[in-house]
Amino acid sequence: MEFFFQILINGLSIGFLYALTALGFVMIFKSSSVLNFAHGGLMAIGAFLFLVLSVWARLPIWLAFILTLAGSFSLGFIIERFFLRPLIGEALIEVIMLTLGLFIMFRGLLLFIFGGDIYSYPDFLPPALTFHWGPIEVAGVYVATFIIGLIFLGLFGFFFKYSSQGIYMRSVADNQPAAMALGVHVRRVFALSWAIAALVCAMSGIVLGIINGINVHEVSDLGIKVFPVVILGGLDSIGGAILGGIIIGLLETFTGGYISSGLREVVPYIVLIIILLIKPYGLFGLVEIERV
Amino acid sequence: MEDNILLKINNISVVYSDVIQILKAVSLDIPEGQIVSLLGSNGAGKTTTLKAVSGILKPENGKVTEGTINYEGHNIQNSSPERVTRLGIIQVMEGRQPFKYLTVEENLRVGTATRWGKPYKKDLEMVYHYFAPLVYRKHSLAGYCSGGELQMLVMGRALMAQPRLLLLDEPSLGLAPMLVKEIFEIVKRINKEQRTTLMLVEQNANMALQIANFGYVMENGKIVLEGDAKDLRENPDVKEFYLGVAATGAIKTYKDVKSYKRRKRWL
Ligand SMILES: Nc1ncnc2c1ncn2[C@@H]1O[C@H](COP(=O)(O)OP(=O)(O)OP(=O)(O)O)[C@@H](O)[C@H]1O
Ligand SMILES: [Mg+2]
């Protein structure tokens, strides 16, 4: 029972993390129909930026964290402005090639600077964060992820539901010509989606770095996991992305805990293939409202 | 009385995809504070004219190749919709285009995009005042609204931008006659009370000419007739072709022509 509870918490915190990155991915797709293959690259950049700021520049952890998020946010803006905007209106395949190219470029750059070694962050999580409850013990990093994940999901939920800028973003995803006719700055919405995506990618890059250590290949490959998550949730549904993330997170940890840790990494892709076979638009894909 | 011209379309030609010419030397004036109606059959180029003004031609690969569109001293031909909307011109597109997955109130809030960060509570009240049925649907998804509610929604959404010039494209399309009458009365009130200048594209010439001050008739991308609304109502050609009163006495309404496009909807 304790084991179950422990795995549940681990699974949920990983799930929140996947949910957040999937949210970034879906936001870009919904507003500009771009499939972002550079996702893992953005995660790796976030992880290494945090490494540089916290270990090499010896900034206080909280400051390094905030600067990493701010830097990634700006990077998202820059990517949209200089790489994607010139391609607005071009064929889908060109945009896909571009994001794939960005991924390879980011990874190449990081490999050039950091090589293929495994780095680790200083042990900055306070021991008090480790959660004890009877025989149950949940590692501090999972507790921290759980809390941060919950906070950010709440923040984004609030942003998209209530803030004007969030509503403009959803309007572009919903009906772009109509949004344009009302004066919504569509390109700014694209840029903002990239910025948000880069920010959440950085956050999950950091957390995965804390859990597994930071290695260019590993962190950037983890970005591919966003595909099972968004395919499960439905590419066009923010709510679906969040649920999909939590489900994949739970599946992974439960498979790892009860079946075999070797299978753990494979399970999301098995799910991906099954979903694609039986329900190609995802479990929670938007139900098309059609009223005649 | 010399009217102050708010929008002056001066001999414009519009071409789609660099080769398909739709408008040829179209000129028209919209005096401030008035309702000007643009009539014409299917494919005449009415929607294209509105898009040329609002800047929505551009994303559709259309271009004003000749002539100018002047709005309060600004030349706005081939401007982006972001710029045109911020100058105070809002187009309500043909066929009611709600944001289906946003609630009614969220739809209205998108109308504040041109003045992000400014207070909008008063404007919401104003919209609910004109379009009372929307109040009860505030929190439901726009995708589930009836055609009548949607027409109110898209017009209300445009009002949220506090436009000086509102471009309405076929507000009566597919609505029950009673509702059309109600919508037109509201349009007239908005024009009077908010001092919003209106350009009204319609197939329902009868209704349009009742509330408009001035009218233009368009055929094949050209203006073929213009005049005061009351003169147009008496004009034999307009009577025959647009008001459904044929010289022979047979009824030839535009409803028949366009029926394939009309979806019956009841409020
Ligand atoms: N993006 C486009 N590319 C090419 N041709 C177009 C485009 N949009 C419209 N047209 C053509 O331009 C002509 C005028 O269209 P427009 O929509 O302006 O007519 P309309 O007067 O609004 O007609 P309706 O009453 O049916 O709405 C039509 O023949 C249409 O096929
Ligand atoms: Mg039209």
Side-chain angles (χ1 to χ4, degrees):
Chain A
M1 193 60 212
E2 299 83 44
F3 186 61
F4 174 85
F5 187 73
Q6 202 164 319
I7 287 192
L8 183 69
I9 296 283
N10 291 2
L12 278 179
S13 39
I14 292 285
F16 286 163
L17 206 64
Y18 291 166
L20 273 173
T21 61
L23 183 145
F25 187 91
V26 167
M27 206 52 232
I28 290 181
F29 181 74
K30 269 186 79 118
S31 63
S32 59
S33 306
V34 172
L35 287 172
N36 177 17
F37 281 85
H39 211 72
L42 293 173
M43 285 164 67
I45 287 187
F48 277 98
L49 188 57
F50 186 62
L51 179 78
V52 168
L53 293 174
S54 64
V55 178
W56 296 5
R58 291 171 188 281
L59 293 178
I61 290 300
W62 61 270
L63 185 62
F65 186 66
I66 289 176
L67 283 180
T68 304
L69 294 192
S72 301
F73 191 80
S74 323
L75 177 69
F77 257 109
I78 293 170
I79 293 175
E80 197 282 334
R81 180 68 190 80
F82 290 102
F83 296 102
L84 279 123
R85 194 166 293 179
L87 285 192
I88 286 180
E90 298 297 330
L92 188 63
I93 185 71
E94 288 176 41
V95 183
I96 289 182
M97 292 317 286
L98 173 87
T99 60
L100 208 55
L102 281 174
F103 174 70
I104 294 166
M105 185 182 88
F106 290 153
R107 210 165 62 160
L109 254 168
L110 290 174
L111 274 174
F112 177 71
I113 303 173
F114 300 97
D117 303 336
I118 298 188
Y119 297 83
S120 57
Y121 299 126
D123 202 5
F124 56 84
L125 289 169
L129 214 54
T130 308
F131 180 80
H132 295 279
W133 192 49
I136 300 164
E137 186 186 310
V138 182
V141 56
Y142 288 100
V143 176
T145 309
F146 190 88
I147 295 169
I148 292 183
L150 214 56
I151 290 176
F152 272 83
L153 281 177
L155 280 178
F156 280 119
F158 193 83
F159 172 76
F160 285 121
K161 185 66 195 161
Y162 298 108
S163 80
S164 292
Q165 210 53 249
I167 289 176
Y168 303 155
M169 290 184 78
R170 282 196 290 143
S171 80
V172 171
D174 196 307
N175 186 338
Q176 192 176 313
M180 217 178 244
L182 287 166
V184 175
H185 213 300
V186 172
R187 282 161 305 166
R188 190 177 300 157
V189 166
F190 291 173
L192 201 54
S193 338
W194 273 90
I196 290 177
L199 181 145
V200 292
C201 279
M203 205 156 60
S204 52
I206 295 172
V207 175
L208 292 171
I210 298 175
I211 297 174
N212 300 332
I214 318 137
N215 170 274
V216 178
H217 294 291
E218 261 184 52
V219 181
S220 55
D221 286 350
L222 280 172
I224 299 178
K225 222 172 258 169
V226 78
F227 287 99
V229 171
V230 295
I231 295 290
L232 177 68
L235 263 174
D236 52 2
S237 157
I238 292 180
I242 292 172
L243 269 170
I246 295 172
I247 291 175
I248 295 280
L250 287 173
L251 264 177
E252 254 188 47
T253 40
F254 274 96
T255 311
Y258 283 104
I259 303 175
S260 110
S261 57
L263 210 55
R264 182 189 159 129
E265 293 298 315
V266 193
V267 146
Y269 302 100
I270 297 176
V271 172
L272 170 80
I273 288 168
I274 294 173
I275 293 286
L276 279 177
L277 286 177
I278 56 175
K279 222 160 172 283
Y281 296 105
L283 282 186
F284 309 99
L286 281 187
V287 187
E288 178 68 17
I289 298 181
E290 187 53 69
R291 205 176 170 290
V292 183
Chain B
M1 190 179 87
E2 239 336 270
D3 288 311
N4 179 23
I5 303 296
L6 186 62
L7 183 84
K8 192 169 184 61
I9 298 181
N10 215 336
N11 260 312
I12 58 163
S13 298
V14 168
V15 173
Y16 281 116
S17 313
D18 291 330
V19 284
I20 314 164
Q21 178 159 20
I22 301 296
L23 298 189
K24 299 144 200 140
V26 168
S27 293
L28 48 88
D29 291 346
I30 316 274
E32 177 141 36
Q34 297 205 349
I35 300 181
V36 173
S37 181
L38 180 59
L39 310 171
S41 51
N42 288 114
K46 306 179 298 294
T47 300
T48 303
T49 309
L50 292 192
K51 286 180 177 165
V53 175
S54 65
I56 294 178
L57 270 187
K58 225 188 203 172
E60 299 192 358
N61 211 359
K63 205 175 162 211
V64 179
T65 51
E66 277 165 61
T68 57
I69 302 177
N70 197 276
Y71 171 80
E72 295 209 293
H74 305 278
N75 269 335
I76 56 166
Q77 67 276 7
N78 298 319
S79 288
S80 66
E82 284 104 36
R83 169 155 187 259
V84 176
T85 49
R86 277 160 186 75
L87 289 171
I89 303 177
I90 301 284
Q91 178 182 355
V92 178
M93 291 196 293
E94 191 175 31
R96 298 185 264 282
Q97 309 237 3
F99 302 114
K100 288 187 196 169
Y101 300 98
L102 271 60
T103 66
V104 164
E105 187 147 308
E106 286 167 351
N107 265 268
L108 295 178
R109 285 184 60 188
V110 179
T112 63
T114 50
R115 50 194 188 89
W116 173 50
K118 307 258 166 59
Y120 58 85
K121 286 277 177 313
K122 280 223 167 56
D123 303 86
L124 272 181
E125 273 167 33
M126 185 258 295
V127 169
Y128 289 136
H129 164 73
Y130 283 115
F131 304 107
L134 293 184
V135 179
Y136 309 104
R137 312 235 38 174
K138 240 189 226 189
H139 301 298
S140 40
L141 290 189
Y144 295 115
C145 286
S146 71
E149 288 162 347
L150 283 186
Q151 187 55 43
M152 298 189 182
L153 177 65
V154 293
M155 285 168 52
R157 203 168 65 178
L159 277 189
M160 292 294 291
Q162 303 179 338
R164 292 194 54 202
L165 174 61
L166 197 56
L167 313 171
L168 283 184
D169 201 346
E170 303 209 38
S172 75
L173 186 73
L175 298 183
M178 278 298 289
L179 198 59
V180 172
K181 205 159 158 270
E182 196 184 326
I183 297 267
F184 274 74
E185 272 160 16
I186 299 174
V187 168
K188 186 79 199 165
R189 275 177 56 206
I190 290 170
N191 166 251
K192 281 261 164 328
E193 297 166 10
Q194 307 293 326
R195 303 181 181 287
T196 310
T197 307
L198 278 126
M199 184 164 171
L200 178 60
V201 162
E202 259 301 338
Q203 297 274 353
N204 191 335
N206 188 19
M207 287 305 284
L209 290 176
Q210 276 179 36
I211 64 165
N213 304 90
F214 201 86
Y216 289 89
V217 178
M218 186 170 238
E219 285 297 339
N220 287 322
K222 292 195 184 96
I223 302 286
V224 291
L225 198 61
E226 58 180 270
D228 282 332
K230 55 179 185 305
D231 297 341
L232 285 182
R233 280 204 300 266
E234 300 305 322
N235 182 300
D237 288 340
V238 174
K239 267 189 175 163
E240 177 171 356
F241 292 110
Y242 298 98
L243 298 179
V245 191
T248 57
I251 302 293
K252 289 196 259 174
T253 68
Y254 257 85
K255 276 195 194 114
D256 302 334
V257 184
K258 216 179 181 179
S259 58
Y260 69 94
K261 253 189 154 181
R262 284 170 194 268
R263 290 152 91 197
K264 203 152 102 195
R265 288 189 143 164
W266 310 95
L267 183 68

